[in-house]
């Protein structure tokens, strides 16, 4: 693993890949003068190790806030149903609308994140998300549709953050350090989700008004924007892997999509909030924790099998596939099944509990299918990783895009050549 402090930029190769063999390491060391200390990552990025850790801490805080906001609604969902006089299927639409918007917007921010200033995109997205969330707390009782619209608009801010933040971490660290930092980053998912339930319900109890629960995360969002402006220093894309901060070769978005192999995991995204049974809470905690262990692994795999100029786009399509096969439709589906089970029966709290319990059994089957797809990826990971590393370091021949080639006669036959090679 690379050392963090090295004396000279022209010393031995400063990064050794995780799957590098001992013979390759010896050969590279002898070519570079052998025995000299490796150059630190900050030599290429221009960002010190302590500053890089601070940046990751800020990104972790925002990810925590992201999931707090997402699950605050779940903590006050019975009050929202009572206030707007809606059933389980309508309340399930809140999450479905949000996830659908988030899923559609993710590829757009993936494209922007690969080509434009990531710090500015993050600041704008979080500021917009905070403003919309605050506005949703002032919606009158007769306009539930407006609450659905605001939840959809919240997806704008979250799409901008989720597609871009992991790529910044990837440009600050490599190898085992990157894996550890991503683990910290995604640890905020279960913690933030739990805090969303707790903070939402407790603030509602203290204020005796559920609207105040939606005003907590916007205030913390202002702090997040200030931290981004003052702490975040954007690293050059892919510099830590290319051993250089020279300009990258960008391709068109269509070429990026063709080059990416998309994979999604199917997971059921709904959870019943039941506060009366301690054993049930323990099992839910264990299940959600185990379910959340895959996030850092998925992000780490995706980042090291994709070249730096396509990582935000790859993150966005991973988001699209995972939510399309998971929680985009599951909250509404769970609500519909629950309402159908209750139909024609005398209303009671026990019936509401059992109807949601039976509906949620679908999530277990979806989780098993997702696990099967994870096992299938093991057949391709190592080969894809090696190709991405060689391509990043310029050791693979670059193929011109189809739109950059034309057919010309050559030695009595037609052949395709790059447009730039033809003199007109």
């Amino acid at each position: 693993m690379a050392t963090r402090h090295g004396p000279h930029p022209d010393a031995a190769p400063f990064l050794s890949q995780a799957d590098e063999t001992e013979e390759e390491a010896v050969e590279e060391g002898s070519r570079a003068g052998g025995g000299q200390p490796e150059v630190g990552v900050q030599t290429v990025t221009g960002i010190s190790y302590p500053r890089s850790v601070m940046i990751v801490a800020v990104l972790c805080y925002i990810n925590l806030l992201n999931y707090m906001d997402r699950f605050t609604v779940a903590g006050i969902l019975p009050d929202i149903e009572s206030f707007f006089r809606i059933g389980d299927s309508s309340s399930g639409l809140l999450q479905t609308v949000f996830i659908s918007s988030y899923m559609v917007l993710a590829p757009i921010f993936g494209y922007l994140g690969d080509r434009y200033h990531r710090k500015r995109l993050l600041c704008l997205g979080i500021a917009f998300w905070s403003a919309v969330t605050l506005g949703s707390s002032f919606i009158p009782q007769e306009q539930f549709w407006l609450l659905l619209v605001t939840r959809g608009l919240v997806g704008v801010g979250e799409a901008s953050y989720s597609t871009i933040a992991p790529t910044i971490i990837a440009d600050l660290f490599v190898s085992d350090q990157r894996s550890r930092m991503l683990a910290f980053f995604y640890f905020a998912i279960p913690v933030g989700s739990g805090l969303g339930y707790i903070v939402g319900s407790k603030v509602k109890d203290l204020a005796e008004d559920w609207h105040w629960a939606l005003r907590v995360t916007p205030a913390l969002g202002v702090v997040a924007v200030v931290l981004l402006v003052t702490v975040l220093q954007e690293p050059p894309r892919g510099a830590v892997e290319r051993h250089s901060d020279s300009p990258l070769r960008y391709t068109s978005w269509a070429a990026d999509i063709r080059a990416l192999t998309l994979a999604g995991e199917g997971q059921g995204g709904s959870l019943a909030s039941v506060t009366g049974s301690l054993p049930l809470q323990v099992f839910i905690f264990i299940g959600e924790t185990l379910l959340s262990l895959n996030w850092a692994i998925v992000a780490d795999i995706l980042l090291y099998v994709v070249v730096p100029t396509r990582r935000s786009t790859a993150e966005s399509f991973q988001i699209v596939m995972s939510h399309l096969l998971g929680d985009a439709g599951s909250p509404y589906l769970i609500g519909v099944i629950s309402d159908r089970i209750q139909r024609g029966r005398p209303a009671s709290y026990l019936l509401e509990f059992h109807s949601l319990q039976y509906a949620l059994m679908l999530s277990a089957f979806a989780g098993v299918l997702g696990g099967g797809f994870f096992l299938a990826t093991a057949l391709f990971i190592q080969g894809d990783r090696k190709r991405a590393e060689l391509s990043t370091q310029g050791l693979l021949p670059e193929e011109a895009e189809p739109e950059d080639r034309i057919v010309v006669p050559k030695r009595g036959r037609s052949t395709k050549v790059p447009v730039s090679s033809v003199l007109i």
Side-chain angles (χ1 to χ4, degrees):
M1 186 171 60
T3 57
R4 295 194 294 269
H5 303 285
H8 305 293
D10 58 345
F14 73 101
L15 293 176
S16 59
Q17 302 301 332
D19 57 349
E20 182 180 47
T21 64
E22 183 178 351
E23 291 79 9
E24 290 172 333
V26 172
E27 182 181 352
E28 290 184 5
S30 62
R31 286 200 303 265
Q36 297 184 28
E38 295 179 344
V39 176
V41 171
Q42 75 269 17
T43 303
V44 176
T45 63
I47 304 173
S48 67
Y49 181 77
R51 181 68 174 268
S52 298
V53 173
M54 288 177 60
I55 292 172
V56 173
V58 171
L59 296 178
C60 287
Y61 164 73
I62 301 174
N63 203 32
L64 183 89
L65 194 60
N66 178 4
Y67 279 85
M68 273 187 63
D69 176 77
R70 188 181 299 190
F71 285 89
T72 294
V73 172
I76 57 174
L77 195 57
D79 300 275
I80 293 177
E81 289 180 340
S82 175
F83 181 80
F84 289 104
R85 298 186 181 91
I86 57 176
D88 287 340
S89 57
S90 296
S91 62
L93 274 176
L94 289 171
Q95 182 74 353
T96 295
V97 168
F98 162 73
I99 292 296
S100 298
S101 169
Y102 174 48
M103 188 174 62
V104 170
L105 292 166
I108 298 174
F109 282 101
Y111 172 84
L112 297 175
D114 279 332
R115 289 161 176 80
Y116 297 99
H117 200 282
R118 292 176 289 186
K119 179 177 178 178
R120 294 171 187 168
L121 289 171
L122 288 177
C123 291
L124 289 173
I126 294 170
F128 181 82
W129 153 69
S130 300
V132 171
T133 301
L134 180 62
S136 68
S137 67
F138 296 98
I139 294 175
Q141 186 176 14
E142 298 80 15
Q143 296 179 332
F144 174 70
W145 65 269
L146 190 55
L147 182 63
L148 292 175
V149 172
T150 57
R151 292 310 294 173
L153 292 176
V154 167
V156 175
E158 295 210 19
S160 69
Y161 180 76
S162 299
T163 56
I164 294 173
T167 67
I168 294 177
I169 297 176
D171 288 333
L172 291 170
F173 300 94
V174 293
S175 191
D176 293 343
Q177 283 188 345
R178 177 190 292 175
S179 299
R180 284 194 291 269
M181 293 301 172
L182 286 171
F184 285 124
F185 177 77
Y186 285 105
F187 182 69
I189 293 179
V191 176
S193 301
L195 285 176
Y197 280 105
I198 296 170
V199 173
S201 59
K202 293 301 180 184
V203 170
K204 182 263 298 183
D205 292 339
L206 290 174
E208 298 182 348
D209 184 357
W210 65 268
H211 294 85
W212 282 98
L214 297 178
R215 298 165 187 167
V216 175
T217 50
L220 297 175
V222 175
V223 177
V225 173
V226 173
L227 289 173
L228 281 176
V229 172
T230 57
V231 176
L232 180 59
Q233 181 178 348
E234 184 166 350
R237 288 181 177 86
V240 295
E241 292 155 315
R242 293 181 297 116
H243 309 179
S244 168
D245 59 354
S246 58
L248 289 162
R249 177 184 178 272
Y250 284 89
T251 54
S252 68
W253 193 65
D256 292 348
I257 300 305
R258 285 195 299 269
L260 292 173
T261 301
L262 305 179
E265 70 271 15
Q267 298 175 352
S270 301
L271 176 66
S273 177
V274 183
T275 58
S277 172
L278 180 60
L280 181 60
Q281 293 181 40
V282 171
F283 284 123
I284 289 176
F285 173 80
I286 295 173
E288 285 295 294
T289 300
L290 293 175
L291 188 63
S292 299
L293 290 178
N294 75 79
W295 283 102
I297 298 172
V298 169
D300 201 18
I301 291 173
L302 184 143
L303 289 170
Y304 65 59
V305 300
V306 177
V307 296
T309 56
R310 294 169 177 163
R311 281 176 177 162
S312 289
T313 300
E315 284 282 348
S316 70
F317 277 87
Q318 188 271 328
I319 288 171
V320 168
M321 294 302 296
S322 63
H323 289 295
L324 182 64
L325 300 176
D327 54 358
S330 62
Y332 177 69
L333 177 62
I334 295 298
V336 168
I337 295 174
S338 175
D339 285 345
R340 290 290 177 88
I341 293 174
Q342 295 180 49
R343 185 177 299 174
R345 293 181 172 88
S348 68
Y349 288 113
L350 185 61
L351 177 61
E352 292 178 6
F353 171 79
H354 282 303
S355 64
L356 284 172
Q357 182 185 44
Y358 295 145
L360 283 166
M361 289 180 180
L362 288 176
S363 299
F365 294 99
V368 172
L369 290 175
F373 283 109
F374 271 117
L375 290 175
T377 61
L379 301 174
F380 310 99
I381 288 174
Q382 291 302 324
D384 290 347
R385 178 180 184 179
K386 176 57 69 176
R387 283 191 293 273
E389 290 171 353
L390 294 174
S391 179
T392 300
Q393 295 168 12
L395 301 179
L396 281 183
E398 296 179 351
E399 295 184 2
E401 299 177 41
E403 59 268 27
D404 292 336
R405 303 179 74 91
I406 61 175
V407 178
V408 298
K410 184 178 181 181
R411 296 179 181 176
R413 302 172 62 184
S414 296
T415 183
K416 289 185 177 181
V417 298
V419 175
S420 58
S421 67
V422 180
L423 186 61
I424 298 176

